[in-house]
Amino acid sequence: MKFLHLLLNTDRSLSTLLLRLVLGGVFFPHGAQKVLGWFGGHGFTGTMDFLTGTMHIPAVPAFLAIAAEFAGAIALLLGLGTRIAALGIASVMVVAIVTVHAQFGFFMNWSGSQPGEGFEYHLLALGIAVALILRGGGKWSADASLANALPSEN
């Protein structure tokens, strides 16, 4: 029961709500590209083929990355399992920085003058995810409602 309290407890802050909605709102289209093929994406099969074939990522971590972006974004928008969803997205961002984007430097490729994208976007997403891991889902989160329903710890 103590673990559930730690997992669901939140500061019920408006600023935390804003962070949660921004991170979930930004990641939903990315996850929908990977799972549903929306927004010009390749869908689940195409994404799995790319991650496992081209990137040589084992199937289980590839699936977890896709799930973190799609289901994690939905969970963040609802404030349901906020800390777990944010941890999944944070993990994806760390891996993206280390394996792909660090070699291109800090800045994104706004002018198209470098061969790839830097890691500034990923660092921002990582910072928001860490804040949510520490603070929880904030105001109007399902986590807060569930935490209220739990018996108090004494």
Side-chain angles (χ1 to χ4, degrees), residues 61-77:
F63 174 79
L64 290 173
I66 293 168
E69 288 193 30
F70 184 66
I74 294 168
L76 286 176
L77 291 170

PDB file of all heavy atoms in Angstrom, residues 61-77:
ATOM      1  N   PRO A  61      12.996  -4.191 -26.259  1.00  0.00           N
ATOM      2  CA  PRO A  61      13.199  -2.751 -26.030  1.00  0.00           C
ATOM      3  C   PRO A  61      12.556  -1.874 -27.101  1.00  0.00           C
ATOM      4  O   PRO A  61      12.066  -0.783 -26.800  1.00  0.00           O
ATOM      5  CB  PRO A  61      14.721  -2.591 -26.034  1.00  0.00           C
ATOM      6  CG  PRO A  61      15.259  -3.936 -25.761  1.00  0.00           C
ATOM      7  CD  PRO A  61      14.265  -4.918 -26.298  1.00  0.00           C
ATOM      8  N   ALA A  62      12.529  -2.339 -28.350  1.00  0.00           N
ATOM      9  CA  ALA A  62      11.875  -1.567 -29.418  1.00  0.00           C
ATOM     10  C   ALA A  62      10.387  -1.426 -29.128  1.00  0.00           C
ATOM     11  O   ALA A  62       9.820  -0.337 -29.236  1.00  0.00           O
ATOM     12  CB  ALA A  62      12.100  -2.250 -30.771  1.00  0.00           C
ATOM     13  N   PHE A  63       9.744  -2.534 -28.745  1.00  0.00           N
ATOM     14  CA  PHE A  63       8.326  -2.495 -28.399  1.00  0.00           C
ATOM     15  C   PHE A  63       8.081  -1.565 -27.211  1.00  0.00           C
ATOM     16  O   PHE A  63       7.135  -0.778 -27.207  1.00  0.00           O
ATOM     17  CB  PHE A  63       7.812  -3.907 -28.079  1.00  0.00           C
ATOM     18  CG  PHE A  63       6.408  -3.911 -27.573  1.00  0.00           C
ATOM     19  CD1 PHE A  63       5.338  -3.798 -28.446  1.00  0.00           C
ATOM     20  CD2 PHE A  63       6.144  -3.999 -26.210  1.00  0.00           C
ATOM     21  CE1 PHE A  63       4.032  -3.776 -27.981  1.00  0.00           C
ATOM     22  CE2 PHE A  63       4.845  -3.973 -25.725  1.00  0.00           C
ATOM     23  CZ  PHE A  63       3.786  -3.867 -26.617  1.00  0.00           C
ATOM     24  N   LEU A  64       8.938  -1.635 -26.191  1.00  0.00           N
ATOM     25  CA  LEU A  64       8.770  -0.783 -25.009  1.00  0.00           C
ATOM     26  C   LEU A  64       8.928   0.698 -25.355  1.00  0.00           C
ATOM     27  O   LEU A  64       8.223   1.541 -24.796  1.00  0.00           O
ATOM     28  CB  LEU A  64       9.755  -1.187 -23.912  1.00  0.00           C
ATOM     29  CG  LEU A  64       9.478  -2.539 -23.252  1.00  0.00           C
ATOM     30  CD1 LEU A  64      10.613  -2.913 -22.300  1.00  0.00           C
ATOM     31  CD2 LEU A  64       8.140  -2.536 -22.538  1.00  0.00           C
ATOM     32  N   ALA A  65       9.825   1.016 -26.276  1.00  0.00           N
ATOM     33  CA  ALA A  65       9.988   2.411 -26.694  1.00  0.00           C
ATOM     34  C   ALA A  65       8.729   2.915 -27.390  1.00  0.00           C
ATOM     35  O   ALA A  65       8.256   4.029 -27.130  1.00  0.00           O
ATOM     36  CB  ALA A  65      11.200   2.538 -27.620  1.00  0.00           C
ATOM     37  N   ILE A  66       8.166   2.082 -28.267  1.00  0.00           N
ATOM     38  CA  ILE A  66       6.925   2.454 -28.956  1.00  0.00           C
ATOM     39  C   ILE A  66       5.794   2.621 -27.939  1.00  0.00           C
ATOM     40  O   ILE A  66       5.033   3.590 -27.987  1.00  0.00           O
ATOM     41  CB  ILE A  66       6.559   1.400 -30.019  1.00  0.00           C
ATOM     42  CG1 ILE A  66       7.590   1.404 -31.151  1.00  0.00           C
ATOM     43  CG2 ILE A  66       5.158   1.634 -30.561  1.00  0.00           C
ATOM     44  CD1 ILE A  66       7.479   0.215 -32.094  1.00  0.00           C
ATOM     45  N   ALA A  67       5.699   1.693 -27.008  1.00  0.00           N
ATOM     46  CA  ALA A  67       4.655   1.760 -25.976  1.00  0.00           C
ATOM     47  C   ALA A  67       4.826   2.999 -25.099  1.00  0.00           C
ATOM     48  O   ALA A  67       3.842   3.644 -24.726  1.00  0.00           O
ATOM     49  CB  ALA A  67       4.669   0.498 -25.116  1.00  0.00           C
ATOM     50  N   ALA A  68       6.069   3.344 -24.765  1.00  0.00           N
ATOM     51  CA  ALA A  68       6.320   4.521 -23.928  1.00  0.00           C
ATOM     52  C   ALA A  68       5.824   5.784 -24.616  1.00  0.00           C
ATOM     53  O   ALA A  68       5.222   6.655 -23.977  1.00  0.00           O
ATOM     54  CB  ALA A  68       7.812   4.642 -23.618  1.00  0.00           C
ATOM     55  N   GLU A  69       6.034   5.878 -25.931  1.00  0.00           N
ATOM     56  CA  GLU A  69       5.616   7.080 -26.645  1.00  0.00           C
ATOM     57  C   GLU A  69       4.110   7.128 -26.875  1.00  0.00           C
ATOM     58  O   GLU A  69       3.516   8.200 -26.796  1.00  0.00           O
ATOM     59  CB  GLU A  69       6.358   7.185 -27.982  1.00  0.00           C
ATOM     60  CG  GLU A  69       7.809   7.539 -27.801  1.00  0.00           C
ATOM     61  CD  GLU A  69       8.482   7.949 -29.093  1.00  0.00           C
ATOM     62  OE1 GLU A  69       7.810   8.501 -29.989  1.00  0.00           O
ATOM     63  OE2 GLU A  69       9.698   7.716 -29.202  1.00  0.00           O
ATOM     64  N   PHE A  70       3.486   5.995 -27.148  1.00  0.00           N
ATOM     65  CA  PHE A  70       2.047   6.003 -27.454  1.00  0.00           C
ATOM     66  C   PHE A  70       1.203   5.885 -26.184  1.00  0.00           C
ATOM     67  O   PHE A  70       0.480   6.813 -25.830  1.00  0.00           O
ATOM     68  CB  PHE A  70       1.714   4.883 -28.435  1.00  0.00           C
ATOM     69  CG  PHE A  70       0.272   4.896 -28.877  1.00  0.00           C
ATOM     70  CD1 PHE A  70      -0.217   5.942 -29.643  1.00  0.00           C
ATOM     71  CD2 PHE A  70      -0.588   3.871 -28.529  1.00  0.00           C
ATOM     72  CE1 PHE A  70      -1.546   5.970 -30.058  1.00  0.00           C
ATOM     73  CE2 PHE A  70      -1.915   3.885 -28.938  1.00  0.00           C
ATOM     74  CZ  PHE A  70      -2.393   4.935 -29.697  1.00  0.00           C
ATOM     75  N   ALA A  71       1.321   4.765 -25.492  1.00  0.00           N
ATOM     76  CA  ALA A  71       0.524   4.564 -24.270  1.00  0.00           C
ATOM     77  C   ALA A  71       0.959   5.540 -23.185  1.00  0.00           C
ATOM     78  O   ALA A  71       0.127   6.027 -22.409  1.00  0.00           O
ATOM     79  CB  ALA A  71       0.657   3.123 -23.783  1.00  0.00           C
ATOM     80  N   GLY A  72       2.268   5.843 -23.138  1.00  0.00           N
ATOM     81  CA  GLY A  72       2.760   6.805 -22.143  1.00  0.00           C
ATOM     82  C   GLY A  72       2.171   8.180 -22.346  1.00  0.00           C
ATOM     83  O   GLY A  72       1.815   8.865 -21.387  1.00  0.00           O
ATOM     84  N   ALA A  73       2.042   8.607 -23.595  1.00  0.00           N
ATOM     85  CA  ALA A  73       1.447   9.916 -23.879  1.00  0.00           C
ATOM     86  C   ALA A  73      -0.014   9.953 -23.455  1.00  0.00           C
ATOM     87  O   ALA A  73      -0.466  10.925 -22.831  1.00  0.00           O
ATOM     88  CB  ALA A  73       1.574  10.236 -25.371  1.00  0.00           C
ATOM     89  N   ILE A  74      -0.752   8.898 -23.757  1.00  0.00           N
ATOM     90  CA  ILE A  74      -2.163   8.834 -23.355  1.00  0.00           C
ATOM     91  C   ILE A  74      -2.275   8.838 -21.828  1.00  0.00           C
ATOM     92  O   ILE A  74      -3.105   9.552 -21.256  1.00  0.00           O
ATOM     93  CB  ILE A  74      -2.854   7.603 -23.973  1.00  0.00           C
ATOM     94  CG1 ILE A  74      -2.924   7.759 -25.503  1.00  0.00           C
ATOM     95  CG2 ILE A  74      -4.240   7.396 -23.380  1.00  0.00           C
ATOM     96  CD1 ILE A  74      -3.321   6.500 -26.239  1.00  0.00           C
ATOM     97  N   ALA A  75      -1.424   8.059 -21.166  1.00  0.00           N
ATOM     98  CA  ALA A  75      -1.430   8.019 -19.703  1.00  0.00           C
ATOM     99  C   ALA A  75      -1.133   9.401 -19.119  1.00  0.00           C
ATOM    100  O   ALA A  75      -1.766   9.823 -18.145  1.00  0.00           O
ATOM    101  CB  ALA A  75      -0.420   6.985 -19.201  1.00  0.00           C
ATOM    102  N   LEU A  76      -0.187  10.117 -19.724  1.00  0.00           N
ATOM    103  CA  LEU A  76       0.123  11.469 -19.235  1.00  0.00           C
ATOM    104  C   LEU A  76      -1.054  12.405 -19.415  1.00  0.00           C
ATOM    105  O   LEU A  76      -1.362  13.201 -18.525  1.00  0.00           O
ATOM    106  CB  LEU A  76       1.353  12.030 -19.947  1.00  0.00           C
ATOM    107  CG  LEU A  76       2.690  11.443 -19.539  1.00  0.00           C
ATOM    108  CD1 LEU A  76       3.805  12.016 -20.406  1.00  0.00           C
ATOM    109  CD2 LEU A  76       2.980  11.680 -18.066  1.00  0.00           C
ATOM    110  N   LEU A  77      -1.715  12.332 -20.559  1.00  0.00           N
ATOM    111  CA  LEU A  77      -2.868  13.204 -20.793  1.00  0.00           C
ATOM    112  C   LEU A  77      -3.971  12.955 -19.761  1.00  0.00           C
ATOM    113  O   LEU A  77      -4.663  13.885 -19.346  1.00  0.00           O
ATOM    114  CB  LEU A  77      -3.392  13.025 -22.208  1.00  0.00           C
ATOM    115  CG  LEU A  77      -2.441  13.548 -23.305  1.00  0.00           C
ATOM    116  CD1 LEU A  77      -2.921  13.116 -24.681  1.00  0.00           C
ATOM    117  CD2 LEU A  77      -2.306  15.067 -23.220  1.00  0.00           C
TER     118      LEU A  77
END
